[in-house]
Amino acid sequence: LKYTAEIIEVNNCKIGINTLLTNKIILESLVKKKINFFTNFTNIKTEFKFSNGTRFDFLLSNNKEKCLVEVKNVTLSRKNKLAEFPDAITSRGLKHLEQLSNAIKSNYKSYILYLVQRKDCDSFKIASDIDNDYKIAFDKALKSGVEILCYDCKLNNKEIILNNQINYE
């Protein structure tokens, strides 16, 4: 995706600051089959209403299965090469984790995808000191079967594109 004026530079690190681009970057990556976990899905629906008051960023489906994907934008890094989420208390993020767990009971595959829009991080973790309730819900979601994906981006002054999967600590 090509965008201008959506990137800032801090300490020689480019950071994507427009959170509205996050889902566009992922949608382009899904359409172009750049995320290996989702290449078998033929249908992509954005802003899928799952229940009253809950929408997920993507519903992916094919003839055999359906998959929910919630995407979170990550820009926080307080330790060298480590991206963290959230950067503030997030009741909405907490609800998404709980609903992704509930979706598994209804035969959906459930994923949360953290998109790190910075060039200087090669691993990811939950910032439990910022929102411990989110960390608790995250751990419960993992135990319930929600799958976690983390990707970084290539950023320059003209474009932001999905790059590599990075490790979750």
Side-chain angles (χ1 to χ4, degrees):
L1 291 176
K2 298 194 182 221
Y3 304 100
T4 57
E6 305 296 343
I7 296 171
I8 62 169
E9 193 163 321
V10 178
N11 298 328
N12 294 324
C13 175
K14 294 186 185 305
I15 303 169
I17 58 169
N18 185 341
T19 58
L20 298 176
L21 297 181
T22 308
N23 285 7
K24 292 178 182 181
I25 294 165
I26 297 301
L27 178 58
E28 179 181 81
S29 300
L30 290 168
V31 168
K32 291 183 174 182
K33 306 286 187 192
K34 300 241 178 212
I35 303 173
N36 292 339
F37 298 90
F38 305 129
T39 56
N40 61 324
F41 293 101
T42 52
N43 301 307
I44 302 169
K45 183 174 181 179
T46 61
E47 294 297 317
F48 175 69
K49 184 176 180 181
F50 177 70
S51 63
N52 284 342
T54 302
R55 287 185 193 271
F56 289 112
D57 293 319
F58 298 99
L59 168 66
L60 309 177
S61 62
N62 58 30
N63 291 334
K64 299 178 189 172
E65 55 191 344
K66 51 192 177 178
C67 174
L68 296 171
V69 180
E70 180 62 22
V71 180
K72 300 297 180 194
N73 187 63
V74 181
T75 58
L76 178 64
S77 178
R78 300 178 290 176
K79 184 179 171 189
N80 192 32
K81 297 189 178 223
L82 178 66
E84 297 179 85
F85 183 88
D87 59 8
I89 292 173
T90 174
S91 57
R92 186 169 169 262
L94 184 97
K95 182 177 84 169
H96 281 135
L97 287 171
E98 292 167 349
Q99 290 299 315
L100 284 169
S101 295
N102 288 340
I104 289 171
K105 298 171 194 166
S106 300
N107 295 318
Y108 287 87
K109 286 186 172 186
S110 293
Y111 287 83
I112 187 156
L113 190 154
Y114 296 93
L115 185 66
V116 179
Q117 283 199 60
R118 28 184 329 134
K119 292 177 82 168
D120 63 344
C121 296
D122 58 17
S123 63
F124 169 84
K125 78 170 201 160
I126 299 300
S128 58
D129 63 315
I130 292 175
D131 190 345
N132 195 54
D133 290 340
Y134 186 86
K135 173 63 170 148
I136 291 166
F138 177 86
D139 291 341
K140 283 182 185 174
L142 280 177
K143 287 179 184 160
S144 76
V146 174
E147 301 209 35
I148 309 304
L149 298 174
C150 311
Y151 284 85
D152 67 357
C153 292
K154 284 185 184 177
L155 302 99
N156 62 47
N157 293 334
K158 295 182 181 174
E159 66 182 354
I160 303 170
I161 58 173
L162 188 80
N163 190 30
N164 295 315
Q165 187 173 7
I166 63 173
N167 295 323
Y168 166 70
E169 285 189 4

